[in-house]
Amino acid sequence: MDKNSLAYWQDKAATLSIEGRAFIDGAYRDAQSGRTFDCVSPIDGKLLAKVADSGAADVDAAVAAARRAFDARVWSGLNPRKRKSVLLRWAKLMREHRDELSLLETLDAGKPIADTTSVDVPGAAYCVEWYAEAIDKVGGEVVPSDHHLVGLVTREPIGVVAAVVPWNFPLLMAAWKFGPALAAGNSVVLKPSEKSPLTAIRVAQLALDAGIPAGVFNVVPGGGEPGKLLALHADVDCLAFTGSTNVGKLIMQYAGQSNLKRVWLELGGKSPNIVLPDCPDLDRAANAAAGAIFYNMGEMCTAGSRLLVHRDIKDAFLERLAVAARGYTPGNPLDPQTSMGAIVDQVQLDRVLGYIEAGRAEAKLLLGGSRVKQESGGFYIEPTVFDVKPDAKIAREEIFGPVLSVITFDTVEEAVRIANDSDYGLAAAVWTGNLTTAHEVARSLRAGTVWVNCYDEGGDMNFPFGGYKQSGNGRDKSLHALEKYTELKSTLVRLR
Ligand code: NAD
C-alpha cells in the first residue's frame, strides 16, 4: 500500500498494539492502585487505550529505582564513551521505530502524520544523538590558584532528575530533558502529560533494549498528581518542567516546601512577530506568519500569536496572510497530505473556542472562527484571525490554539514597546530590510529567541531555547542544558 496515503496509516493504526502501563525499574507495571485513565484520540474522540494512573506508590517506586541505579553507579559511573554508545543505540532504535512512534503520537495528540514522521520522532532521536556525541567531549577545568594547590572544577551528575512535560510535542519535549540529563549520567523519572503519554511509555522499552540499565529511565504516566508528587519528593534532586506558567509557579512552591530541588521551567509565551514597512519580502513574511501561528494547530509555546504590522503595509500583508492560511485547512491527521490536525482534547477545544468568543466581543474577526469537522467526532478548529487592540484579552493571554491577533502600529518604537509589554518573553521576530534596524530591534526585544526575517527557524540543537520573564528559567538544547543537570564541584588539592 502507498505509504503516502490515508489508507496506509489507517490500516497500520487498526493493528497497532498500544502499551499503557508505567515503566519502573526496567519493567512495565500497572499502577499499584490498579487505577487507569482513558487515553482518547482527538482525531475521532474514540478510546485508544487505558493508561496507568500513577499515584504515590508508583512515584515512590520509580524514584527509589532511579536512586538505587544512581547510587550503584551502573550509569553515572560509566565512562562517558560507554554512555554515548548506549544512547546512540537508543536513538537508532527510535529511528527504526519511526513509523510506529509517529503513529502513536498522531493518534494520541492529533498532530499531522507528515509532522510526526519528519519533526517529532526524528527530532527526538537527533536530540539524544547530539547529547550522546557531546558528552565525551566536554570536560572540566584546571583553574589558576596558589602555587601549592591544584584546583579542579568538575561537573557531576546531579542524581535523580524528574521531567514533567506537556502534550504539544510529547516525545520531543521529553527528549529535550532526558537527552542531556541521561547523557550527563543522571537517572530520570519522566512524567508525560495525561493527554499524550503513549510515546514516552513506548520509548522506555527501547531504552532498555538499547542497554540503558533498569532503574535509570522510568516513566510514570498520569495527570497533575504524579507531577506534584515528584515536585514535592524529598529524593528528587532536580525537576525539569515544560508546561504552563501557572503550573510552573506551583512547581517552584513545591520545591520550596520540600528539599529545594533544582527547578528548571520552560513555560508559556505570547510571542510578537513584527513586520516593519521595509520588510524585504511580504510573501515570505506572510507565509512565515501563518506558519508561526497555524503550524501544530497553534499548540506552540513559540507561536507567533501577536502579529504586529505597520499601518502602511497592513492591507497588503493581510491579503497575503489570508492566502497563506488556506494552506492550513484542518484535515485527518493520518492523511499525509494534512498540514493542520486536531486540537489535543475536548478541554483544549473548549478553551480555544472560549477565547474565540471573547475575541468576537472585543475585536474584529477577519478569518475563520469556527469548530469544523464535527461529524468526525474529533476536535478541529479552523485558522482564525482577529484585528485587535494591544490590550485585548486575546492579545495578552496565551491561547495555545490557531488564533492570531493582528495589532497595528505606526513607529518602530511603538512596535517594540507593544512587543515587550507582556508577562512572557519566550520568542519574537522582526522583518526588515535594514541591517541596523534589525540588530537594534533584536537587542531591544526581551525574549530568549529572536528571529530576523524568519520565524521558527533553527532545528539545530546548538541554539539554547527558553524564556525571559514568566516564560521560564534555564535553557533547553545546546551545551548549556548540561548545566541544568550537573552540579559544579571545586576540588582543591594541597601539594605540600
Ligand atoms: P500544563 O502546565 O497544564 O501541564 C504540563 C505538565 O504538568 C503535564 O504533564 C501535567 O500533567 C503536569 N501538571 C499539571 N498540574 C500539575 C501540578 N499541580 N504539579 C505538577 N505537575 C502538574 O501545560 P500543558 O497544557 O500540558 O502544556 C501547554 C503549556 O506548555 C503552554 O503554556 C505552553 O506554552 C507550554 N510549553 C512551553 C514550552 C517551552 O519550551 N517553553 C514548550 C512546550 C509547551
Side-chain angles (χ1 to χ4, degrees), residues 18 20 36-42 45-51 104 107-109 193-198:
I18 298 180
T36 58
F37 64 91
D38 288 351
C39 180
V40 169
S41 177
K46 294 200 180 123
L47 183 73
L48 275 176
K50 296 264 184 201
V51 174
L104 280 173
L107 292 170
D108 202 0
S193 169
E194 64 278 25
K195 298 178 200 258
S196 59
L198 299 180

Side-chain angles (χ1 to χ4, degrees), residues 353-411:
L353 291 174
Y355 275 109
I356 290 176
E357 276 317 298
R360 285 180 196 276
E362 64 181 354
K364 185 173 160 211
L365 181 65
L366 299 179
L367 200 73
S370 298
R371 179 178 182 183
V372 293
K373 285 176 67 62
Q374 213 155 334
E375 70 290 350
S376 65
F379 316 119
Y380 301 84
I381 296 179
E382 60 185 339
T384 297
V385 180
F386 284 100
D387 192 348
V388 302
K389 296 269 181 288
D391 57 352
K393 177 182 162 83
I394 58 165
R396 301 197 68 81
E397 296 181 15
E398 183 182 48
I399 299 175
F400 225 56
V403 183
L404 177 64
S405 292
V406 179
I407 298 167
T408 316
F409 67 86
D410 292 294
T411 64

Side-chain angles (χ1 to χ4, degrees), residues 164-168 173 191-194 222-224 227-228 241-244 247 250-251 254 266-269 301 398 400 426 465:
V164 177
V165 297
W167 44 263
N168 61 335
M173 290 303 99
K191 208 297 286 174
S193 169
E194 64 278 25
K228 178 176 177 178
F241 176 78
T242 297
S244 61
V247 176
L250 290 175
I251 301 258
Y254 301 149
E266 299 288 344
L267 308 175
C301 50
E398 183 182 48
F400 225 56
L426 190 58
F465 183 91

